[in-house]
Amino acid sequence: MNCPNPSGETLPNPTAKPKISVLVSDLSKKGAGRWGGGGVRPFLLSQVLKRLNYDVEILGFVFDDEPNVKASFEDIPIITVPGKKYPQFIQSANSLMKQMTGDIIYAYKPKPSSFGLALLNQIKTRRPVLLDIDDWELSWHGGDAWKYRPPSIKQLGRDIFKENGQLRYPDHPLYLKWMEKWIARADRVTLHNQFLQKRFGGVYLPNGKDTDLFDPTRYQPETSRNHYQLSAYRVLMFPGAPRPYKGIEDVLIALDRLNQPDLRLAIVGGSPYDDYDNQLMKQWGQWIVKLPTLPIQQMPEVVAAAHIVVVPQRDEAAAAAQFPLKLTDGMAMAKPILATRVGDIPAILADTGYLVDPNAPEQIAQTIEEIFDNWEIAQERGRKARERCIQYYSFQAMAEILSGVIGPIAESVQRK
């Protein structure tokens, strides 16, 4: 944004776009998945900002783990600092803020370790702060009903001063609740579904998919099935990490009811959070094929192997507050998609997929049979799903919205 003049002084460059620091609360392996730590969303935002010709860096903490990211991601530098509990976290936060060189700070999630830091930095530097929200963080702790109520003053003291005291963790639910009250302090807020928009306001910015990478014409389904040892099966695929609210059990109950030996549910990646996939294997192992966590560049090939992509979310707050990326995996690859009427899923799919009620294995079983009995119709719906994905849920669609959000702020920064 600045350039030297002949006298050696640094002067503003009125044509250069400002640099953007994407600030992530946690870049460690536990939040990893196939994109590296911190979840998918900050990496999507960074890619789209890069396409809009902004200089971008990603910064974040690594708690209790090794970072699951390299020093850069698609030529975007990634800076990590060891995360600590309070009071040592203050030193970690200072270290990270010193390395934050963006003219605009884009915080991912309304957490003290991301948005809180961005607001502190704003007080010091006057740099604009954007906030992206991709989950209702309190939904993991009981939502609005959650309250911090220590039974005694002594317990409060333990929570503050003991080595493993609850309140020593930077993103304890009490602090998350406080941070929600500060969301209005962000210069702009982006979020990816109607549930979050109704709760927090802001600009709807759905997750985009790289539809050039996820292009079904580049892959042969039978070749992919051979490669992943799936050629003997009709493959239902869940390309993500299983968790109870994601409804995998309902699909497996449906497979029990159908009891057709060539049907399989392929789960790509497994859960990095707990042993939930082992529990699924114990009860329904005869229907499950486990595939490893794969880099994003390999995901189109594995999704190509699917006959049907399943997104069976249950009707819970955690599901309603999410934009399931598995939807756009399947849509971009022109796959028939079987999903539930939860959150934004019906609006995202419109008439290009198959919708059933949540928590309804019998409907899932019936719809699986319907899809395979009318395979040409199912494939046509898949093709329409890809067209819809390109129009509304591609990187290009995401870039157009993000450009309108960040453009006026970038212009104000350039004028200073």
Side-chain angles (χ1 to χ4, degrees), residues 86-248:
Y86 289 118
Q88 292 84 1
F89 177 73
I90 296 170
Q91 184 178 355
S92 296
N94 282 332
S95 175
L96 191 67
M97 284 197 290
K98 286 177 182 177
Q99 299 180 69
M100 199 157 49
T101 59
D103 304 292
I104 298 170
I105 311 303
Y106 203 162
Y108 169 62
K109 294 184 178 291
K111 291 185 171 185
S113 53
S114 52
F115 183 48
L117 249 62
L119 292 177
L120 282 175
N121 185 73
Q122 187 180 52
I123 293 170
K124 290 182 178 181
T125 65
R126 305 288 183 183
R127 294 174 189 171
V129 171
L130 285 78
L131 171 64
D132 185 72
I133 308 175
D134 76 335
D135 264 320
W136 182 27
E137 299 304 317
L138 280 176
S139 71
W140 307 110
H141 308 283
D144 290 322
W146 183 90
K147 289 180 172 56
Y148 175 66
R149 288 177 174 164
S152 65
I153 294 295
K154 183 180 287 188
Q155 183 59 51
L156 174 62
R158 291 194 194 101
D159 287 345
I160 294 173
F161 297 111
K162 284 279 190 180
E163 173 63 24
N164 290 317
Q166 292 186 47
L167 297 180
R168 296 190 65 178
Y169 289 88
D171 295 329
H172 184 272
L174 177 62
Y175 308 141
L176 297 177
K177 202 158 192 170
W178 290 351
M179 289 309 304
E180 285 194 2
K181 298 177 181 178
W182 289 87
I183 286 173
R185 294 291 301 270
D187 291 279
R188 297 298 296 272
V189 175
T190 55
L191 17 69
H192 67 20
N193 66 50
Q194 296 174 31
F195 176 93
L196 294 170
Q197 192 174 40
K198 287 176 183 176
R199 187 172 182 88
F200 300 117
V203 177
Y204 175 62
L205 179 65
N207 284 322
K209 185 68 61 181
D210 185 347
T211 50
D212 293 328
L213 176 63
F214 283 76
D215 180 353
T217 63
R218 298 173 59 184
Y219 306 92
Q220 293 295 327
E222 198 52 52
T223 302
S224 291
R225 285 192 278 273
N226 284 333
H227 181 75
Y228 293 101
Q229 299 180 344
L230 296 168
S231 57
Y233 308 120
R234 289 179 294 162
V235 180
L236 315 180
M237 184 172 288
F238 182 82
R243 302 187 84 167
Y245 73 87
K246 295 184 180 181
I248 296 299

